[in-house]
Amino acid sequence: MDERFNFRPARAADVAAVVSLLHDDELGRHRERPGDPAYDTAFAEIASDPNQLLVVAELDGEIVGTLQLSFIAGLSHVGTKRAQLEAVRVGSEYRGLGIGGRMCEWAISVARERGAGQVQLTSDSGRTAAHRFYERLGFSATHVGMKLSLD
Amino acid sequence: MDERFNFRPARAADVAAVVSLLHDDELGRHRERPGDPAYDTAFAEIASDPNQLLVVAELDGEIVGTLQLSFIAGLSHVGTKRAQLEAVRVGSEYRGLGIGGRMCEWAISVARERGAGQVQLTSDSGRTAAHRFYERLGFSATHVGMKLSLD
């Protein structure tokens, strides 16, 4: 499927399609509100930050997946730059085709090119299939991911 | 101890003191190399990024703690901005005085002021005392933190 497949930075016109992917998810369907203008505001902020890369995966020109890659400079580990994966999603009708793996492998190669020494992510404790997926990509579940909502 | 205590952004001249705090740690002593010029390069990158805030805590004018706060715009959770805590450390001779808690509470208030809807962090699975510390601050251990080294 190589020639049918493409990764590229998301554009403002892709926001609705990306939000649709975030909503098309067992957890996302309860916490996303497609059509809310807050998504466009957030997109503008992502697009203006050179350390944020919001990506869409296209199959035959249709958006079928998304992820965000954030670059975080830091002093620890002898000044290692981290690349962080967030919001990795593949449309429900396109799962099981290897799109998520291809998308993450591409993101890891971008992280390496941009000088990151580590890629990190957190995954909800209930997403056990996702944990196995990331372990197959080489990730180790060495940390606890903790969240505090400010709402 | 209120008047004796101060939080402020780290300056280039503080890099050695911050690295010393990162090294003064059960895991850090094996992975940090105080004096390596890579720390100065990384500091310059942090200081030039308005979404990174490297903080030092001073007690009577001496640096006794550090943390880094990273702001990450994103589409998920209806465009919620995340604030991420990294590299939270208090010097070994100053632990148990409540400095870490005060420093994190301050960071959480900064996150809120800057419009973050969530604060997140990962902590090494072996740091069980740290997990209890963050739970007392209101964090929930809802996620698995996964890492992939690119070295």
Side-chain angles (χ1 to χ4, degrees):
Chain A
M1 104 185 150
D2 281 17
E3 316 78 57
R4 300 171 56 195
F5 209 52
N6 181 44
F7 304 114
R8 63 169 175 80
R11 299 184 283 254
D14 302 322
V15 168
V18 173
V19 171
S20 176
L21 288 167
L22 297 176
H23 187 252
D24 179 19
D25 170 78
E26 55 184 326
L27 299 177
R29 77 183 80 248
H30 304 295
R31 65 191 184 201
E32 302 300 343
R33 293 197 298 267
D36 193 301
Y39 292 110
D40 300 299
T41 308
F43 177 79
E45 195 161 351
I46 295 166
S48 71
D49 183 343
N51 283 318
Q52 303 301 327
L53 183 61
L54 181 66
V55 175
V56 293
E58 292 177 319
L59 179 64
D60 295 336
E62 188 189 355
I63 293 173
V64 298
T66 183
L67 63 76
Q68 184 173 345
L69 198 53
S70 303
F71 291 91
I72 303 172
L75 294 189
S76 60
H77 294 253
V78 200
T80 293
K81 185 184 294 187
R82 293 154 191 257
Q84 183 161 301
L85 279 172
E86 295 265 7
V88 180
R89 299 287 186 278
V90 172
S92 51
E93 67 267 51
Y94 297 101
R95 290 177 201 154
L97 302 176
I99 294 172
R102 290 277 303 274
M103 197 163 62
C104 288
E105 283 167 0
W106 178 84
I108 291 165
S109 74
V110 171
R112 197 185 293 273
E113 279 164 24
R114 287 185 54 168
Q118 191 175 71
V119 185
Q120 63 183 21
L121 62 90
T122 67
S123 180
D124 191 280
S125 299
R127 295 192 194 269
T128 50
H131 306 163
R132 289 192 297 273
F133 165 80
Y134 289 117
E135 282 169 347
R136 286 195 298 273
L137 286 166
F139 286 85
S140 299
T142 52
H143 284 61
V144 174
M146 308 189 79
K147 312 273 175 174
L148 169 66
S149 175
L150 300 183
D151 299 334
Chain B
M1 107 183 145
D2 281 17
E3 316 79 55
R4 300 172 55 196
F5 209 51
N6 181 46
F7 304 114
R8 63 169 176 80
R11 299 185 283 255
D14 302 322
V15 168
V18 174
V19 171
S20 176
L21 288 167
L22 298 175
H23 186 252
D24 178 19
D25 171 79
E26 56 185 325
L27 299 175
R29 77 185 78 246
H30 304 295
R31 65 193 183 200
E32 302 300 343
R33 293 197 297 268
D36 194 305
Y39 292 111
D40 299 299
T41 308
F43 177 80
E45 196 161 352
I46 295 167
S48 71
D49 182 344
N51 283 318
Q52 303 301 326
L53 182 61
L54 181 66
V55 175
V56 293
E58 291 177 318
L59 179 65
D60 294 336
E62 188 189 356
I63 293 174
V64 297
T66 182
L67 61 77
Q68 183 173 345
L69 198 52
S70 302
F71 291 91
I72 304 173
L75 294 188
S76 59
H77 295 253
V78 199
T80 293
K81 185 184 295 187
R82 293 155 192 257
Q84 182 161 300
L85 280 172
E86 295 265 7
V88 181
R89 298 288 186 279
V90 173
S92 52
E93 66 269 50
Y94 297 101
R95 290 177 202 153
L97 303 176
I99 295 172
R102 290 277 303 277
M103 198 163 64
C104 288
E105 283 167 1
W106 179 83
I108 291 165
S109 73
V110 171
R112 198 185 293 272
E113 279 164 24
R114 288 184 56 169
Q118 191 175 71
V119 185
Q120 63 183 20
L121 61 90
T122 67
S123 179
D124 192 280
S125 299
R127 295 192 196 267
T128 50
H131 306 161
R132 289 192 298 271
F133 165 79
Y134 290 118
E135 282 169 347
R136 286 195 298 272
L137 285 166
F139 285 86
S140 299
T142 53
H143 284 62
V144 174
M146 307 188 78
K147 311 273 174 173
L148 169 66
S149 175
L150 299 182
D151 298 332

